[in-house]
Amino acid sequence: MANLAGINLALQTPFSEDGTVDYKTWERLIDQYIEAGVQGLVLGSGTGQHPYLAEEECDELYRIGIRQIDGRCNAICQSSALNFDEVIRRSKKADALGANALMILPPYLEGPSDDDGLLEFYREIDGQVGVDIIGYNIPQATGISVSPDLYLRLNGLRNFNYIKDSAGDLTTHQRYLQGGGKVLNGCDTTTVYALMAGAVGAIWGGANFAPLESVALYGHVAEGRYAEALALWKRMLPAMLHIWTHDYVPCVVAAAHHRGFGTGNVRKPLRSIDQTGKDELLVALAPLLEGGK
């Protein structure tokens, strides 16, 4: 089993102004975030605009990304897709390239939503890869909620060893933890509380613009420095609340660019935030910026 404890940064995908993937900036971003101390990078994450990337682009991002990471931190690849054969194909490719884990959404958009159907979905994937599977609970996007009872059943699969919980419901989150599985927090606004409750780490989109602070926050909690963690969290929270309650990916990308990470561009159908949005974002970032890097 891969050790995914710590901050697994849900890596933005850098785009040029014309919407093409900027692979050189991708390499540079990987180095920047590893230098900041992250324990893992999620390639092709939701924050990386996975739904708007072609399969061939993902393959290239994973190939370059895993090579650039070169064992310096965990490499997690999202291999989600609507077409089941594509999920298998993407998963096998990422596994062969050397991914430490795969993050896979349940079969959203009119796929099976009952527990037996979801279990069978992950069971078939589990039988065809030899690397850890991270289930992905984000019901606000998929319309599917992984129940704590289903999570217990999924943990019986050979490779299903983690769940990323982005729902933001701390009650369900703690029920996952009570079941004995390894939970990764995915809701920006609950991070410090999830870590204190026992989550082994986070898969974190907001870390794109606050990598040093995110790593420091995890370190404070892991070493029992809760007062320091909460003081740092007070500075981070306005920005985390802002991205969670506005256009998430455009805000994260804009904030990251403001702090020297990435190109600041998004791919259609997403739109960059306007000047009013940027002004509001800077207000939310101010407490974080006042603390420096």
Side-chain angles (χ1 to χ4, degrees):
M1 181 192 305
N3 179 8
L4 304 183
I7 300 300
N8 301 284
L9 188 149
L11 186 57
Q12 60 174 307
T13 301
F15 295 100
S16 302
E17 288 187 4
D18 64 2
T20 56
V21 178
D22 184 343
Y23 293 105
K24 287 297 181 185
T25 298
W26 176 250
E27 293 177 333
R28 187 163 62 252
L29 275 173
I30 287 170
D31 287 342
Q32 284 182 286
Y33 289 135
I34 291 175
E35 288 168 8
V38 300
Q39 286 82 18
L41 290 168
V42 183
L43 315 179
S45 66
T47 311
Q49 300 175 64
H50 180 272
Y52 312 125
L53 292 167
E55 182 178 353
E56 295 77 16
E57 290 175 318
C58 280
D59 290 345
E60 187 68 358
L61 286 167
Y62 300 160
R63 184 187 67 79
I64 294 172
I66 292 170
R67 181 193 66 199
Q68 190 72 13
I69 290 169
D70 193 27
R72 291 179 290 166
C73 71
N74 284 314
I76 300 166
C77 295
Q78 178 165 203
S79 54
S80 305
L82 284 174
N83 179 281
F84 185 74
D85 289 341
E86 186 177 339
V87 177
I88 297 297
R89 189 167 61 244
R90 286 175 179 248
S91 299
K92 286 183 173 180
K93 286 178 183 176
D95 186 0
L97 284 168
N100 299 106
L102 307 172
M103 185 172 75
I104 305 175
L105 286 163
Y108 58 99
L109 196 59
E110 299 187 1
S113 58
D114 63 291
D115 284 5
D116 289 343
L118 295 172
L119 178 64
E120 188 56 34
F121 170 80
Y122 283 111
R123 188 197 306 278
E124 187 162 350
I125 300 167
D126 182 75
Q128 300 198 46
V129 297
V131 67
D132 285 274
I133 294 171
I134 305 167
Y136 192 171
N137 185 51
I138 184 166
Q140 63 269 36
T142 62
I144 298 171
S145 184
V146 178
S147 69
D149 289 341
L150 173 59
Y151 182 51
L152 287 174
R153 297 172 68 188
L154 289 167
N155 275 335
L157 301 177
R158 179 186 57 178
N159 296 308
F160 194 105
N161 295 316
Y162 290 90
I163 190 166
K164 176 189 178 185
D165 181 23
S166 297
D169 180 347
L170 280 171
T171 297
T172 298
H173 193 89
Q174 289 174 104
R175 289 184 69 193
Y176 288 154
L177 290 166
Q178 289 291 303
K182 293 187 179 296
V183 183
L184 295 162
N185 182 66
C187 174
D188 300 72
T189 59
T190 63
T191 305
V192 71
Y193 310 109
L195 291 173
M196 287 180 175
V200 298
I203 292 180
W204 199 349
N208 279 279
F209 61 81
L212 288 168
E213 294 86 354
S214 300
V215 170
L217 185 78
Y218 171 76
H220 286 325
V221 175
E223 295 177 18
R225 298 189 298 269
Y226 298 135
E228 290 92 335
L230 290 170
L232 174 55
W233 183 244
K234 185 177 180 180
R235 288 176 38 222
M236 300 175 74
L237 182 57
M240 298 304 162
L241 287 170
H242 185 87
I243 63 173
W244 197 257
T245 56
H246 291 75
D247 291 333
Y248 185 87
V249 172
C251 285
V252 169
V253 169
H257 181 62
H258 182 74
R259 300 200 78 191
F261 303 100
T263 64
N265 299 315
V266 294
R267 172 176 276 185
K268 296 177 181 178
L270 297 183
R271 298 180 298 169
S272 297
I273 59 176
D274 60 18
Q275 189 58 52
T276 299
K278 290 179 181 177
D279 292 342
E280 293 173 348
L281 178 62
L282 287 177
V283 171
L285 282 171
L288 184 63
L289 300 180
E290 287 167 5
K293 289 190 176 182

